[in-house]
Structures are given as structure tokens and as C-alpha cells.
Amino acid sequence: MPSSALPLAYYFLGYASFGAAMLALAIDPSIPGASFYQPRFVALVHLVTLGWLTGSILGSLYIVAPLALGVPLPVRKADWFAFAAFVLGASGMVAHFWINTYDGMAWSAVLAVGAVARVGSRVVRGLRDSRVPWGVRLHIVLAFTNIVAAAVLGMVIGFDRSRGFLAISPLATTFAHAHIAAVGFVMMLVIGLSYRLIPMMLPAAMPSGRSIAWSAILLESGVATVAVSLMIDSSAVVAGALLIAAGVVSFVRHVRAMLGRRLPRPPALPARDWSTWQVHMAFGCLVVTVAAGLVLSFGASADRRLSLMWIYGIAGLIGFLAQMVAGMQGRLVPLYAWYRAYAAIGAPPLRPANALPSPFFARSIFLCWAAAVPLLLWGLPFANQFVIRTGALCLLAGVTLGASYVRHLLREARRV
């Protein structure tokens, strides 16, 4: 049963990281400056990408693997050592970004990527005996391959910043690293797991068939083309962007097909599932991200390019990826809380997992994100410090409520 405390440790690391990033941005909204390529802002970005996104994904895999992928993932001592290494590596990277020392950042990344590789290798090995469609497996294998590639490239960039041995623009390599990590790892894994999780959330019939693999093939081809083009020759960026957009379209078509194969709704589930609505809002931000990315790849005027880059980054990173993880947690944590209660009391809890979600918490979290994302999309491109601070405070409230919601669910599951 997925009842170990390890997912909880990863989740609270994610909440602490995201909360720290938003608190720093609320205290000093001028951190981004005129350009997002500032050491302290890069530190805040890595609090979101490493702490929140990667940490939450690693914790969720210990729940999703046995429940949705059919992969047993018992927690051993080595998994706790990997968690400790991830904490040390991620905090070391953020600290060295903050003080602008890139050698220390690169060495810290070794610990973080080692922890990710530990979890990823266990999941990938377990998939060999799993009955999930091979298209889902392809997404997961490619995602973990990409995160290792992104980590290696990131370490090379860090050493190059202090030694200057690459004959490539540091900004171009940074953009390539960001796309491999965000699109190649987080988006690839989110889409692959969504083929199993979204039908569980709706509920609906599980998708199958070869067509599932197309989103993985198109995304991988697109992110590889974009990364190579950014570092060597920008002439193929448009082709890469179109391939990524085609991968997203393929995924959305499967989601629409799931909606047409709905199953009877569990009677214990609250009438309005706010976590699912948050996933819907994340998909809206995905549309904005794809549109902004296509406009950028085809070429935008100099006075609009920087604003579009902000919109592309915020809508993709916060609006889609970070919010998608938050919405999925709203449905995964009740299951996790139920299994932890089962392990603690030695018998099935009286309340089913679908009856545990709290409409008050879920609605409040949804409203905080619904307010924060548009505010950041408005404030950061135009350097409006009041709007940036307000958006950061809304997200800080949403993150704080999210952590409180997890504690509430764990208590409710054990209540007789």
C-alpha cells in the first residue's frame, strides 16, 4: 500500500519551496528586474521547478506507481537517503544561484539528479512487467531520460559560467536547458501520467491503443529540435515549436475522447470537484502557452518580444505545470490519506477516499490560483510591482492552504 511517509515529505518540501519563492517575490517584487535572466530570479525559478514541480512529482510517483501504473514501489532506506540528497542538492543549487556562484550550483546538482535518477530507474524497471499501454510507458521513459540530459546540460552551463569554455551564448544554452527540463521532463511526465490519472478523476474509461504514443513522439521531436536550434542554428525553431504544439493537440484530443467515455460518478464525491476545475484552468493556461510560443517562434516585434516571453514562461510554468500538479494533488492526497489510515488502524477506514475532500479547502485553493495566475501574467511583463506582490501573496495563500489541506485530509481519514 502507498502508505509511507515519504510522499508526505516530498509534498511538504514542495510547499515550503513554492511558498519561499512567493514570499521572496512578495517582499521584493523588483527581483526579476528588467529581464528574467537575473541570478536571484533564477534561484526563485528553481525553487518552483525543483522544489515544487520535481519534488511533488517524485512524491506522487510513490502513490501513482502502485495505484495507476501497476508498479510496486515499496519505500526502502535508500529512498529516504535519496530524499535527503534531493533536499541538499536542491537547496544548494538555489543558494548558489542566489549568491551567483555557479560552480557550487553545478556540484549541488549532482545530488539532486542522483535522487531523481533513483526514483526514475525504479519506476522504469517496474514498467517492464506492467500492463499499462506502451505509449504511457514511452512518456515516462523519455521524461526521465530528458531530466538527466537537462541536468547534465545545466551543470555544463554552470561550469562554463566560471570558465568560459563553450563557444555558445549562455542565454541560448539556458533556454535550451529550460525547454528540456520543462517540456521534456515535467510536461512529458504530466501528460503521460494524465492518461491514467484523468480517467480516474472523471471517472472515465482508460485510453488505449498506439495513438497514445504520438504525443510522446511529437513532444520529444519538438523539444530536441528546439534545444539544438537554440544552441546551434535558430532556423529550425519554428519546426520544433510546431512539433510541440502538435504533441499538445494529440494529448488534448485524447482528453476530449475521455470526456465522451464517462463512467458513473462515485456517489461519495462532492457535488463540485474543485480540484478537477483547477485542472481545467491549467488546460486554459496551456492554450495560452502554446499560442505565445508559436508567436515567439515565428518572430515577434522587438517591443513585444520580451512581454511575450514573460507570458510564455508564466503561463507555462505557473499556469499549466505548477497548477496541474496542484490539481492532481487534490485528488491523489485523499487516496494517499486513506491508505495511510488503513496502515495505521489495520482496517479499512469508515469513510471512503472520495468522501474525504473538503469543498471549503479545495474551493479556496482554486480561487487563490484563479486570482494569482492572471495577476502574474499582468504584473511581470510590465514590471508592475504592486500587481506582482498581490499575485505572489495570492499564490502564497494558495500554497499555505494546500499544505493545511493535506494535514486536514490525513486527520479526517483516521477519524472514526
Side-chain angles (χ1 to χ4, degrees):
M1 293 190 297
S3 58
S4 168
L6 186 57
L8 199 60
Y10 274 113
Y11 281 165
F12 278 104
L13 170 66
Y15 285 121
S17 301
F18 205 169
M22 293 303 105
L23 180 61
L25 193 59
I27 292 173
D28 186 4
S30 65
I31 288 177
S35 170
F36 46 82
Y37 197 56
Q38 307 286 341
R40 292 193 171 185
F41 186 69
V42 173
L44 299 189
V45 170
H46 279 78
L47 278 173
V48 178
T49 55
L50 270 176
W52 172 249
L53 288 174
T54 308
S56 299
I57 286 171
L58 293 180
S60 296
L61 281 172
Y62 287 94
I63 306 170
V64 172
L67 295 183
L69 301 178
V71 176
L73 205 63
V75 175
R76 306 186 178 102
K77 287 184 180 180
D79 295 283
W80 281 104
F81 283 123
F83 170 74
F86 183 78
V87 174
L88 291 173
S91 57
M93 289 177 66
V94 171
H96 284 98
F97 272 125
W98 190 265
I99 61 177
N100 200 18
T101 54
Y102 286 86
D103 269 18
M105 179 279 299
W107 288 117
S108 298
V110 175
L111 290 172
V113 74
V116 176
R118 158 72 184 180
V119 180
S121 62
R122 290 192 66 195
V123 173
V124 170
R125 285 199 306 269
L127 285 172
R128 297 173 186 171
D129 301 321
S130 173
R131 295 184 178 180
V132 297
W134 73 273
V136 174
R137 280 181 277 177
L138 182 63
H139 284 83
I140 297 171
V141 171
L142 288 175
F144 281 106
T145 303
N146 288 334
I147 190 59
V148 173
V152 171
L153 179 58
M155 287 186 281
V156 170
I157 294 170
F159 289 127
D160 175 66
R161 287 295 300 270
S162 58
R163 293 166 175 80
F165 55 85
L166 287 179
I168 306 174
S169 163
L171 192 59
T173 53
T174 300
F175 285 159
H177 162 76
H179 280 82
I180 297 171
V183 180
F185 172 59
V186 182
M187 183 179 285
M188 182 78 76
L189 196 57
V190 164
I191 287 177
L193 295 178
S194 293
Y195 285 123
R196 306 295 290 177
L197 294 178
I198 289 179
M200 293 172 61
M201 293 174 66
L202 289 174
M206 292 285 181
S208 59
R210 298 179 180 179
S211 59
I212 296 175
W214 274 111
S215 54
I217 295 169
L218 292 167
L219 283 176
E220 186 66 18
S221 303
V223 75
T225 303
V226 167
V228 172
S229 298
L230 287 171
M231 291 188 293
I232 298 176
D233 182 7
S234 61
S235 61
V237 169
V238 173
L242 289 172
L243 285 169
I244 293 173
V248 172
V249 170
S250 175
F251 169 60
V252 172
R253 288 184 62 190
H254 280 93
V255 172
R256 290 187 62 186
M258 295 176 204
L259 295 174
R261 299 194 297 267
R262 300 287 288 266
L263 298 175
R265 181 184 175 88
L269 198 66
R272 187 176 292 276
D273 184 3
W274 291 101
S275 296
T276 303
W277 276 97
Q278 194 160 7
V279 171
H280 294 166
M281 191 162 60
F283 276 117
C285 292
L286 177 60
V287 174
V288 175
T289 305
V290 171
L294 288 174
V295 173
L296 283 169
S297 64
F298 279 100
S301 59
D303 57 336
R304 297 177 59 187
R305 186 169 181 80
L306 183 59
S307 297
L308 277 172
M309 291 176 73
W310 275 113
I311 293 170
Y312 176 66
I314 297 301
L317 185 63
I318 303 296
F320 174 59
L321 295 176
Q323 187 165 210
M324 192 76 169
V325 169
M328 290 293 189
Q329 277 188 358
R331 294 299 301 275
L332 282 178
V333 175
L335 290 171
Y336 169 65
W338 191 90
Y339 278 102
R340 273 189 66 81
Y342 194 147
I345 64 180
L350 294 179
R351 296 180 65 186
N354 287 324
L356 293 177
S358 163
F360 168 77
F361 273 106
R363 180 176 60 249
S364 300
I365 294 168
F366 171 83
L367 292 175
C368 287
W369 281 83
V373 174
L375 286 170
L376 292 177
L377 283 171
W378 175 20
L380 284 167
F382 301 104
N384 189 317
Q385 295 191 12
F386 174 77
V387 177
I388 294 172
R389 177 178 284 117
T390 305
L393 288 174
C394 287
L395 264 185
L396 179 60
V399 170
T400 305
L401 284 168
S404 302
Y405 189 23
V406 172
R407 293 185 59 190
H408 168 81
L409 289 168
L410 293 171
R411 287 198 305 267
E412 287 296 309
R414 296 193 186 191
R415 182 172 296 176
V416 178

